[in-house]
Amino acid sequence: MDGRVAIVTGAGNGLGRAEALSLAAAGARLVLNDLPGHALDAVAAEIKAAGGEAIACPGDVGEWATGEALLAAARATYGGLDVLVNNAGVLRDRTIFNMTADEWDLVLRVHLRGHFVTTRMATAYWRALSKERGGPVYGRIVNTSSEAWLLGSAGQPNYAAAKAGIVALTVATARACARYGVRANAICPRARTTMTAELMGDAPDDVPDPMSPDRVAPLVTYLASPAGGRFTGEVFVVHSDVVALLGPPTVR
Ligand code: ADP
């Protein structure tokens, strides 16, 4: 990643943390976001201990001011921004029969508005930079959808709707930004994270966990890298290890 500057939201644990560590290991300099008090300093310390660079910039991604603060932190600390990885999320699971408007609003706000706010700040910055330089710039966005956007999830209508919206936002962003050199892709992981462990149950102790965030993070780093620039507006479904997931083959 050659010192490129990356924002990762929801980087305090789970998939976001794994993505931040993977990007840092590849040579990116990190701006880490999560809600205040969510272990960002520990993740930053982990990156620094491994010889990398990271700062914490806590805040609610649903807030316009957080988007502005993240971009400002990247510019002030590292002199610019190259990569945005949107991962912050929250669950309020309930079937459609009983879901409250507050549960709907919160999940849509953090996931979808959260993706919008940071994307708005990053793309406006990259477009202005591209106009100033008179050519394309380096800009990579990796958004976090879920397999739930297509398959639905009976206990998560709010989450599934937000994740579908993230796919649409990603494609619209890719089309609007292509001429400036900016690439936007979405991943749809089925990763065992803090968020999903409650739903999926514990992994069996006797086999390596095929759905660990460490299996998903390298794809994000690839899409954030120069080589990943060949893809834009794409949606990557990552089952992490479909063979382990589905069990031994029954065909002969
Ligand atoms: P996953 O591993 O799937 O990303 P986690 O629950 O481990 O699931 O991570 C989601 C992260 O997003 C958490 O660290 C959580 O604190 C963070 N988060 C939740 N709401 C917000 C928000 N409004 N702004 C920023 N980060 C948030």
Side-chain angles (χ1 to χ4, degrees):
M1 293 297 298
D2 225 5
R4 289 197 168 88
V5 181
I7 293 172
V8 179
T9 72
N13 68 70
L15 186 53
R17 173 180 165 276
E19 289 164 346
L21 295 178
S22 170
L23 285 162
R29 297 178 288 167
L30 273 295
V31 178
L32 307 171
N33 160 269
D34 206 295
L35 287 172
H38 274 251
L40 280 184
D41 291 337
V43 179
E46 212 174 334
I47 289 171
K48 286 182 199 158
E53 288 182 61
I55 56 160
C57 185
D60 173 359
V61 289
E63 296 283 342
W64 190 260
T66 302
E68 288 178 328
L70 285 167
L71 177 60
R75 297 183 69 177
T77 308
Y78 303 123
L81 176 69
D82 303 295
V83 175
L84 168 64
V85 177
N86 282 309
N87 166 75
V90 69
L91 294 178
R92 288 293 181 276
D93 295 346
R94 212 176 293 280
T95 62
I96 191 65
F97 311 112
N98 295 311
M99 179 159 289
T100 67
D102 283 349
E103 288 164 344
W104 176 269
D105 287 347
L106 177 69
V107 169
L108 268 287
R109 176 185 163 81
V110 175
H111 287 273
L112 192 48
R113 187 182 152 105
H115 272 63
F116 158 67
V117 165
T118 51
T119 299
R120 160 69 172 73
M121 302 307 162
T123 55
Y125 166 72
W126 285 323
R127 185 175 70 156
L129 200 62
S130 168
K131 288 188 168 172
E132 192 184 304
R133 291 187 184 166
V137 296
Y138 192 99
R140 300 275 187 274
I141 300 175
V142 185
N143 288 334
T144 308
S145 181
S146 157
E147 58 176 4
W149 85 271
L150 195 54
L151 300 178
S153 182
Q156 304 177 295
N158 49 1
Y159 179 79
K163 292 306 193 184
I166 286 169
V167 168
L169 170 68
T170 304
V171 179
T173 303
R175 295 186 66 185
C177 294
R179 76 178 73 166
Y180 306 116
V182 176
R183 310 287 179 244
N185 295 287
I187 58 163
C188 300
R190 183 196 167 101
R192 183 182 305 281
T193 66
T194 321
M195 193 188 278
T196 58
E198 286 167 38
L199 301 172
M200 291 183 179
D202 292 331
D205 292 336
D206 53 340
V207 291
D209 186 351
M211 294 185 282
S212 123
D214 297 332
R215 296 273 187 128
V216 179
L219 172 63
V220 173
T221 297
Y222 173 74
L223 291 172
S225 76
R230 73 192 64 182
F231 297 109
T232 196
E234 301 278 8
V235 180
F236 295 86
V237 178
V238 201
H239 288 114
S240 301
D241 186 337
V242 78
V243 177
L245 188 67
L246 299 177
T250 52
V251 288
R252 289 187 197 284

